[in-house]
Amino acid sequence: MSNILIALFAYFIDRFFGEFRFFTHPIVHIGALISFYERRFYKDSILRGFFLVLFVSLTASALAIALSLALDQLPEFINILLSSFIASIFLAHRMLYDSVKAVLSAKDKREAIA
């Protein structure tokens, strides 16, 4: 039941508030992680590319598991609220809608996409 509540609350948080300005989207952090790896270890090879995917996947998974375990230590109501907030960040439905709307109404569409 709590997963259904989390999904519903996350949807409504994203729908009414959209992207929070004080919080950087997790994809930006994953991009920074990829850039860090590429600067230090990456060369143009299939094996190094595989290690890049493995590095990013394991790092993101470890952080997600640690966050999930930490949230499980909280009272259920607070866990549901915080989980809903985190899930709403990953939805980004409102941000996508606003971004597409801005491109459609822009005079210079290529600049708006960039």
Side-chain angles (χ1 to χ4, degrees):
M1 182 66 170
S2 64
N3 289 339
I4 293 171
L5 287 175
I6 291 169
L8 285 172
F9 288 160
Y11 171 77
F12 286 116
I13 290 169
D14 184 61
R15 175 93 172 147
F16 293 113
F17 298 106
E19 220 36 49
F20 295 103
R21 302 283 180 225
F22 61 88
F23 197 82
T24 306
H25 198 277
I27 295 301
V28 174
H29 294 294
I30 291 173
L33 188 64
I34 291 169
S35 295
F36 166 80
Y37 183 91
E38 285 179 337
R39 282 192 308 272
R40 297 206 174 33
F41 307 111
Y42 189 72
K43 298 218 188 305
D44 192 16
S45 77
I46 292 175
L47 183 61
R48 297 257 178 141
F50 169 75
F51 284 129
L52 169 63
V53 170
L54 190 64
F55 172 72
V56 172
S57 298
L58 289 175
T59 303
S61 296
L63 289 172
I65 290 168
L67 182 61
S68 177
L69 291 173
L71 288 171
D72 284 343
Q73 302 304 312
L74 298 172
E76 187 175 14
F77 178 72
I78 295 172
N79 181 341
I80 289 172
L81 287 178
L82 289 176
S83 295
S84 300
F85 171 75
I86 293 167
S88 75
I89 292 168
F90 284 97
L91 286 178
H93 178 266
R94 171 97 180 256
M95 182 183 71
L96 181 59
Y97 175 82
D98 292 342
S99 298
V100 170
K101 189 175 176 182
V103 169
L104 291 174
S105 64
K107 291 180 183 178
D108 186 0
K109 303 214 185 301
R110 289 182 189 208
E111 185 177 316
I113 291 172

